[in-house]
Every structure is written in C-alpha cells, then in structure tokens.
Amino acid sequence: MAENQKTATLSLDGTTYELPVLSPSAGPDVLDIRKLYGQADVFTYDPGFTSTASCESKITYIDGDKGELLYRGYPIDQLAEKSHYLEVCYLLLYGELPTRAQMEDFEYRITRHTMIHEQIHNFFRGFRRDSHPMATMVGVVGAMSAFYHDSLDINDPWQREVASMRLIAKLPTIAAMAYKYSIGQPFVYPRNDLSYAENFLNMCFSVPAEPYKVEPALAKAMDRIFTLHADHEQNASTSTVRLAGSSGANPFACIAAGIACLWGPAHGGANQACLEMLREIGSVDKIPEYIKRAKDKDDPFRLMGFGHRVYKNFDPRAKVMKESADEVLDLLGIHDNPTLQVAKELEKIALEDEYFVSKKLYPNVDFYSGIILEAMGFPTSMFTPIFALSRTVGWISQWKEMIEDPTNKIGRPRQLYTGATFRDYVDVEKR
Ligand code: SDX
C-alpha cells in the first residue's frame, strides 16, 4: 500500500484489517474491499447496492443531495439548453465536446447507419400486432447479433466503434418500426436529410399517403428528451449492460439485456406507469386518496415518477422536463390538459406532505416526460422504447469504458447463504 495511502480500519475477531480508501474527483470516498475476502474470509452484504460502487467511471456524475447531473463534467441543464443529442452522444462516447469538423464526421457516420438490414423486417412480422414495443425491441436488438457479424468482436477497437455507431443509429429506426407495426402502418425508412430527432418523428408519424412535415419546435423538444435520458451513472439497466458485457457477450446482446431491464416499472417503465397513474387519478380532487394509498405500507401502490435511489432533491431532468411540458403543450395549443393539471397539483401536494418530505421523495425524470410524449402523439406503450433509444448511447459508452479498462474482469457477486446445509439424499420410500 502506498505510504500516504488513506485507509479505513476494520477490526474482526481480534484481527485488524487496513482497507485502502480511494478518493474520487467528486462524490464520496470509496473503501476498496477487493482483497477483503482473501484476507478476512468475509463477504460484504449490500443487496440492491445501496452503498456499493460497482466500478470506476469517468462518464456521468450525480450528486443526489444537490440534485446535480453532469455528463463528462457538463451540467445537464446547460446541455439541454445549449447542446443537442448527437453532440451529447459524442461527449459521452469520447469524453470531450467535438470540434465542428468532428461533429460533422460523427453525424455523417451515424446518419449512414440508420437503415437496418432488410431481412430484419421479417422479425417484426413474427410478433403479434399487440405486442408491447419493448418486447419487439428486446427481440430485434438481440437479433442484430445474427446480422452484423463484422462488429461482434469486442477485442477489436474498430468493431467496437462500428457496433456503437450501429446501435446509436439504428435504435430509433427499430423503435419506430415497432410502433408502426403495432398500429398496422407500413414501415417508414430513415432519411439522411433529416436530423436525428426529425428522422425519428418522421419514421413514427409520416405515412406514404401524404407529405409529412416535422414541426421544428417538436423536433427540438424530442431532441431534448433524448439528451435528458442519455446516461445516468450505474442505474439498474446500465449495471445490467456492464454485467452482461463483463462475460464478453457481444454489444448487441448486452444492449438487449439493458432494454429488458429498463422495461421494469421501477425503472424505465415508470414513464408509462406514471401517465397511466395520472390518468387513473383523473382529477385534482382524487389526489388525496392516491397520496393516502402511496403512504400506506400495506398498499403496494407507489406514486410513479416519484422517488429515486440517488436523488434526495429535485431530479434536475424533471425540472427541465416540466418546463418543456409547458412549452410543448402551448405549442400544440393544448391548454388545461387535465393530466398536466393533476401532475402539477400532485407534485405540489406531495412536496408539502411530511411523508414525502421526510423520505426526500421528489419527482424524477419519468414524472413529466409522459405528458410531453402523449401530447406529441405517442401512445404510452412507446414511452419506454423512447427512453431505451435515448439511453443506448449511455449504455454503449459505459460498456466501451468497461471493455477498455485493463482491470476489467467478469462480474461474479457472492451471497449470504441461509439455505439448508449439507444433508444426504433420502429415498422416496423414507420421506
Ligand atoms: C428511473 O437509478 C436511476 O438512475 C434510474 C433512472 C435513470 O435515469 O436510469 O433515474 C430512471 O428509473 C427513475 C425512477 C423511476 N421509478 C419510479 O418512478 C417508480 C416509483 N419510485 C419508486 O419505486 C422508488 O422511488 C425507486 C425504485 C425509484 C427507488 O427506490 P429505492 O431507492 O429502493 O427506495 P425505497 O424503495 O427503499 O424507498 C425508500 C422509502 C420506502 O419507504 P420505507 O420502507 O423507508 O418506509 O420511500 C418510499 C418507500 O416505500 N418510497 C415511496 C416511493 N418511492 C419510495 N413511497 C411512495 N411512492 C414512491 N414513489
């Protein structure tokens, strides 16, 4: 251990162990327990990883108490206002904001990877029309491993780069195709003359029967939603991608695993669940009944879009999303939207209620996003697919960082075993 290394002391059964304390560039110190089991023959216990740093990363930093979110050091509110999604993708992937020339090259490469292999269209037709688009996305993204054989070798930097470009570029195409398939409309091909967000809106809402013009202000709102969802440290789906990637699985399989995890209502599925909850509440006078249920330990109901493992203050993304909701609804001429009225009143009441205040429960990224997406014309079933396509750059940036870390090893946690200890087999006649 280095001479001036800061340490923590653990005393166990009369033996003292010195644990190195690692200092971050921001956030809490980290106790390095990598050698603890070998030295003290004990495991640490942290289901849900509430107090556990699973990796070292330089990509995204969250200060839950301050309600701060930084992508490579840049605050999310400044990026949402001044940047755009593809520039944020470059920043997350490569660590620095691009020069104009770097941005043009990156945009050119992404744009020319937006089409998917024509045969992949057949996969969609194997699903029921009423399949949830997330089911289709998990299936189709995983199946990309069966097509893009020249970008499966994770040890080849060029193949890692191509797989990253393909995933960032093709996820919107796949999400839009899942939507079109669910409503029985023909697939719309990507267009190279449109921006990333314009392309997605065009692939979702245009039809061959008439021209479709993307409203620039809606494209800007869509682009901002992509940026707000791009990455978020070691959340459940990112940890899933890292764990899948640690076995050497190909990038398409790893991202499919991340999509599967994101689907859960406690995670990315909360945006759909939140809007459905707001609709179920229906009017402001019904709010107290639902607040009461959310506080009732015997009632599994929780306020969807509220609370967060890390944020014990406002989720900065929710603040930007709330402002954007007002802008988009105003732009679309939607006034007195009952769902937005319920959301704003619910937020106000909850933030004055001792239960939510004491538990530091605030609106999270999912609380307002559904109101915007619904106003833009998306069904609730498309909310989590939009979260997934936005988060693909975060997943792939974290995956790339892990693969390129020379200390990377397969993730293999241990357990606190409380089951039966050794016993001999008993023949059925003696049971
Ligand atoms: C995302 O991790 C990320 O970064 C995720 C994400 C990302 O960008 O990747 O930010 C995206 O997933 C946002 C979260 C979306 N999920 C929801 O909105 C679902 C509703 N929220 C909860 O299920 C919950 O808040 C979680 C899952 C988000 C966080 O759960 P934790 O950290 O495990 O906290 P907890 O469940 O232990 O709750 C602490 C207390 C509990 O009460 P006590 O047992 O201490 O008495 O707060 C209560 C909970 O019952 N609580 C809630 C609540 N959330 C927590 N009570 C009512 N309504 C809620 N929403």
Side-chain angles (χ1 to χ4, degrees), residues 383-431:
F383 292 3
T384 309
I386 288 169
F387 192 152
L389 78 86
S390 310
R391 182 57 56 87
T392 295
V393 65
W395 289 330
I396 211 70
S397 300
Q398 300 268 352
W399 168 81
K400 188 168 168 283
E401 181 180 64
M402 175 190 68
I403 298 292
E404 291 167 1
D405 175 353
T407 67
N408 165 44
K409 56 172 58 178
I410 190 166
R412 205 287 186 207
R414 302 302 302 273
Q415 61 182 4
L416 166 64
Y417 178 69
T418 54
T421 51
F422 183 91
R423 53 184 172 166
D424 288 319
Y425 182 78
V426 177
D427 292 335
V428 66
E429 297 78 20
K430 295 178 184 163
R431 291 176 205 161

Side-chain angles (χ1 to χ4, degrees), residues 48 50 62 69 228-238 262 264-271 273-274 291 293-297 300-312 315 317 355-356 359-362 364-367 387 391 395:
T50 308
I62 303 171
L69 168 58
L228 293 172
H229 288 84
D231 193 46
H232 213 239
E233 199 205 75
Q234 305 311 318
N235 59 85
S237 52
T238 297
L262 186 76
H267 190 14
N271 52 18
C274 179
I291 293 270
R293 285 188 57 197
K295 292 157 60 174
D296 178 355
K297 281 281 146 243
F301 173 78
R302 284 192 165 178
L303 279 189
M304 302 316 284
F306 250 80
H308 199 277
R309 170 62 58 76
V310 177
Y311 289 121
K312 302 309 169 189
D315 180 334
R317 302 168 297 176
Y355 174 92
F356 293 91
K359 294 180 188 298
K360 299 184 178 179
L361 302 175
Y362 290 85
N364 58 49
V365 67
D366 296 310
F367 191 64
F387 192 152
R391 182 57 56 87
W395 289 330

Side-chain angles (χ1 to χ4, degrees), residues 252-268:
F252 305 108
C254 294
I255 299 303
I259 295 171
C261 177
L262 186 76
W263 196 357
H267 190 14

Side-chain angles (χ1 to χ4, degrees), residues 99-390:
T99 62
R100 203 177 296 282
Q102 288 168 330
M103 190 63 241
E104 281 170 14
D105 168 64
F106 185 71
E107 190 145 19
Y108 180 89
R109 288 188 288 143
I110 292 290
T111 302
R112 277 151 189 80
H113 275 295
T114 49
M115 282 177 68
I116 62 171
H117 191 295
E118 196 68 4
Q119 255 188 275
I120 292 181
H121 290 211
N122 300 330
F123 281 124
F124 289 85
R125 294 187 176 86
F127 288 90
R128 286 173 41 144
R129 290 279 181 179
D130 59 356
S131 306
H132 194 293
M134 284 296 277
T136 316
M137 285 180 76
V138 170
V140 173
V141 172
M144 288 172 78
S145 318
F147 281 82
Y148 299 107
H149 297 135
D150 62 342
S151 59
L152 297 180
D153 179 357
I154 62 158
N155 299 307
D156 177 343
W158 182 85
Q159 293 196 39
R160 292 201 298 268
E161 179 74 9
V162 171
S164 304
M165 295 297 108
R166 281 175 167 153
L167 282 157
I168 294 167
K170 297 179 193 315
L171 259 287
T173 308
I174 291 167
M177 289 173 77
Y179 172 55
K180 284 302 202 186
Y181 184 72
S182 73
I183 57 174
Q185 287 189 359
F187 298 141
V188 174
Y189 284 90
R191 280 176 36 189
N192 292 351
D193 61 322
L194 297 178
S195 73
Y196 193 89
E198 287 170 340
N199 217 356
F200 180 63
L201 291 172
N202 185 60
M203 289 188 287
C204 288
F205 296 128
S206 75
V207 290
E210 59 185 26
Y212 173 78
K213 184 175 174 346
V214 180
E215 168 59 55
L218 287 189
K220 184 168 171 35
M222 187 82 263
D223 189 271
R224 188 185 302 138
I225 287 175
F226 292 162
T227 292
L228 293 172
H229 288 84
D231 193 46
H232 213 239
E233 199 205 75
Q234 305 311 318
N235 59 85
S237 52
T238 297
S239 300
T240 301
V241 170
R242 279 182 172 261
L243 198 54
S246 73
S247 75
N250 74 70
F252 305 108
C254 294
I255 299 303
I259 295 171
C261 177
L262 186 76
W263 196 357
H267 190 14
N271 52 18
Q272 172 173 348
C274 179
L275 194 94
E276 289 164 353
M277 173 194 75
L278 293 172
R279 278 191 192 142
E280 185 187 328
I281 294 174
S283 62
V284 167
D285 60 325
K286 296 276 289 299
I287 290 175
E289 171 197 331
Y290 283 83
I291 293 270
K292 184 166 177 288
R293 285 188 57 197
K295 292 157 60 174
D296 178 355
K297 281 281 146 243
D298 299 324
D299 188 331
F301 173 78
R302 284 192 165 178
L303 279 189
M304 302 316 284
F306 250 80
H308 199 277
R309 170 62 58 76
V310 177
Y311 289 121
K312 302 309 169 189
N313 196 328
F314 249 95
D315 180 334
R317 302 168 297 176
K319 281 185 181 173
V320 178
M321 207 69 87
K322 184 176 178 181
E323 289 156 18
S324 197
D326 286 328
E327 282 169 26
V328 169
L329 292 179
D330 194 39
L331 175 82
L332 294 170
I334 301 172
H335 304 298
D336 307 326
N337 175 300
T339 316
L340 181 59
Q341 302 314 322
V342 169
K344 287 186 172 179
E345 185 62 17
L346 177 58
E347 175 191 346
K348 182 173 169 296
I349 294 173
L351 294 183
E352 291 164 357
D353 184 292
E354 177 48 30
Y355 174 92
F356 293 91
V357 172
S358 63
K359 294 180 188 298
K360 299 184 178 179
L361 302 175
Y362 290 85
N364 58 49
V365 67
D366 296 310
F367 191 64
Y368 285 103
S369 56
I371 292 165
I372 302 173
L373 294 172
E374 182 190 52
M376 293 170 92
F378 291 105
T380 53
S381 61
M382 277 301 290
F383 292 3
T384 309
I386 288 169
F387 192 152
L389 78 86
S390 310

Side-chain angles (χ1 to χ4, degrees), residues 48-112:
F49 312 122
T50 308
S51 304
T52 294
S54 60
C55 63
E56 178 182 348
S57 180
K58 300 180 184 338
I59 298 174
T60 292
Y61 174 69
I62 303 171
D63 183 321
D65 293 328
K66 283 201 271 182
E68 183 178 72
L69 168 58
L70 309 178
Y71 289 166
R72 299 286 191 178
Y74 296 97
I76 190 65
D77 54 331
Q78 290 185 27
L79 291 170
E81 186 194 339
K82 300 176 179 176
S83 184
H84 58 87
Y85 182 68
L86 279 190
E87 183 176 74
V88 167
C89 288
Y90 186 99
L91 174 65
L92 289 170
L93 275 169
Y94 306 118
E96 297 297 336
L97 289 169
T99 62
R100 203 177 296 282
Q102 288 168 330
M103 190 63 241
E104 281 170 14
D105 168 64
F106 185 71
E107 190 145 19
Y108 180 89
R109 288 188 288 143
I110 292 290
T111 302
R112 277 151 189 80

